[in-house]
Amino acid sequence: MSGPSILVERRAGYRVVTLNRPDRLNAFNDAMHVELRRAIEEIEADETCRALMITGAGRGFCAGQDLADRLVKPGEKLAPSTSLAQHYNPLVRKLRALPFPVIAAVNGVAAGAGCNIALACDIVMAARSASFVQSFSRIGLIPDSGGTWFLPRLVGDARARGLALLAEPLPADKAEQWGLIWKCVDDTSVVAEARKLCEHFASAPTHGLALIKRALNASTTNTLDAQLDLERDLQGIAREMPDYIEGVRAFMEKRKANFTGRKGTA
Ligand code: T3D
């Protein structure tokens, strides 16, 4: 397929990125990685952007690595792999670190790295017909893009092992029951529901949300002691923000808060 493999839609206060290789269920090739990285860099640099939604074109969300690019002739050797270090790992790190919420609107199957990229997003909303597949073991690989880290934390060790070793598709409703994702909704409403979340975040106390992401990211390795110290420090920063002043005022005045999302002292 020709044309851009990433589509970016600019909305008031948020962006929608659509993975756009539908004939390959939006599997990643190098060009798509490069386009996605550029799009995210541009989105991050835009101070008016307060949320990001990622979805897929066509019937799939993302089928991970485009395996056509990994096919070698009998007797030939596969070139040494650079894709995790160069593309997938920086992408997962970036999604976790972006200073605003990232919502995955999983419109269809999410397989391989495509599944774990969805799990790296802050909120995963999936269409009822979507499924999550750790397809790596079917082709002799191990999960990447954080799969071995996300799975046990989200669903526990027993289910993580089942998912990774068996590579069976996990339907979206079960993924919700298991705590792998935030919500499963009807197919026709997944994008609309994800947009509603983005609209909500577009007028939220964005810098405060960024600090929440930082605290939750750190909690995975911190002791309770260290986390209490971090909460003290990050909440100290949040208290200096205009949105905290506004949030308290709006509460006391029984009106909707007008959050700017800005950093800086009140
Ligand atoms: O070397 C490195 O860089 C390592 C990095 C690894 C990262 C990874 O993500 S490894 C895992 C790679 N992904 C997979 O193994 C998933 C492969 N796909 C599937 O297992 C199935 O397609 C799905 C379970 C995702 C969906 O099944 P289904 O039956 O709904 O669709 P389908 O008929 O299999 O696929 C539709 C088309 O998309 C088909 O093409 P065609 O026959 O219509 O021309 C299929 O070949 C293509 N497609 C799907 N996934 C990929 C793909 N083509 C290339 N690469 C894919 N990953």
Side-chain angles (χ1 to χ4, degrees):
M1 196 188 130
S2 57
S5 49
I6 296 295
L7 304 174
V8 182
E9 186 189 341
R10 182 189 280 262
R11 309 283 293 201
Y14 71 95
R15 304 283 178 89
V16 178
V17 162
T18 302
L19 309 177
N20 188 39
R21 301 185 73 226
D23 53 335
R24 295 276 167 98
L25 300 180
N26 306 315
F28 274 94
N29 59 13
D30 286 355
M32 181 159 141
H33 274 296
V34 171
E35 282 181 49
L36 181 59
R37 180 164 60 240
R38 285 196 188 128
I40 292 178
E41 278 168 6
E42 189 266 320
I43 290 166
E44 188 180 12
D46 178 355
E47 296 242 341
T48 69
C49 181
R50 295 164 75 175
L52 167 64
M53 166 177 153
I54 301 179
T55 192
R59 73 173 176 89
F61 175 73
C62 176
Q65 173 61 41
D66 187 331
L67 295 175
D69 292 350
R70 298 293 181 265
L71 192 61
V72 289
K73 295 198 180 95
E76 275 182 6
K77 275 184 93 175
L78 197 59
S81 170
T82 55
S83 67
L84 296 193
Q86 217 182 329
H87 297 307
Y88 291 103
N89 291 355
L91 173 60
V92 169
R93 289 189 177 111
K94 177 58 78 182
L95 294 173
R96 299 301 276 185
L98 278 173
F100 43 73
V102 183
I103 293 105
V106 179
N107 51 303
V109 64
C115 178
N116 297 331
I117 287 164
L119 300 183
C121 296
D122 297 301
I123 295 191
V124 187
M125 180 91 84
R128 207 164 297 284
S129 68
S131 58
F132 296 82
V133 200
Q134 293 293 323
S135 33
F136 308 90
S137 63
R138 285 191 199 162
I139 54 170
L141 285 186
I142 75 145
D144 59 32
S145 304
T148 57
W149 192 90
F150 292 122
L151 288 175
R153 283 171 172 77
L154 292 169
V155 298
D157 192 60
R159 284 171 168 165
R161 281 169 198 262
L163 290 172
L165 295 171
L166 294 169
E168 285 174 5
L170 184 71
D173 57 349
K174 211 165 181 184
E176 180 191 307
Q177 282 166 28
W178 284 14
L180 186 76
I181 64 168
W182 170 241
K183 227 173 235 182
C184 161
V185 297
D186 288 340
D187 286 18
T188 48
S189 52
V190 64
V191 169
E193 291 291 325
R195 278 188 196 281
K196 269 192 216 160
L197 283 184
C198 288
E199 280 155 16
H200 164 79
F201 287 132
S203 57
T206 310
H207 197 60
L209 301 187
L211 297 174
I212 293 176
K213 282 184 69 162
R214 264 175 67 184
L216 291 173
N217 289 345
S219 76
T220 52
T221 48
N222 269 349
T223 59
L224 173 61
D225 232 23
Q227 194 67 13
L228 288 171
D229 287 348
L230 183 67
E231 287 176 358
R232 176 201 58 210
D233 295 345
L234 295 182
Q235 196 180 79
I237 298 172
R239 288 179 84 261
E240 295 288 306
M241 276 190 291
D243 282 341
Y244 176 52
I245 303 293
E246 166 61 6
V248 173
R249 270 193 200 135
F251 175 77
M252 295 308 293
E253 294 167 10
K254 300 192 188 302
R255 61 170 171 83
K256 190 176 179 314
N258 179 22
F259 293 122
T260 64
R262 281 201 311 269
K263 293 184 193 177
T265 47

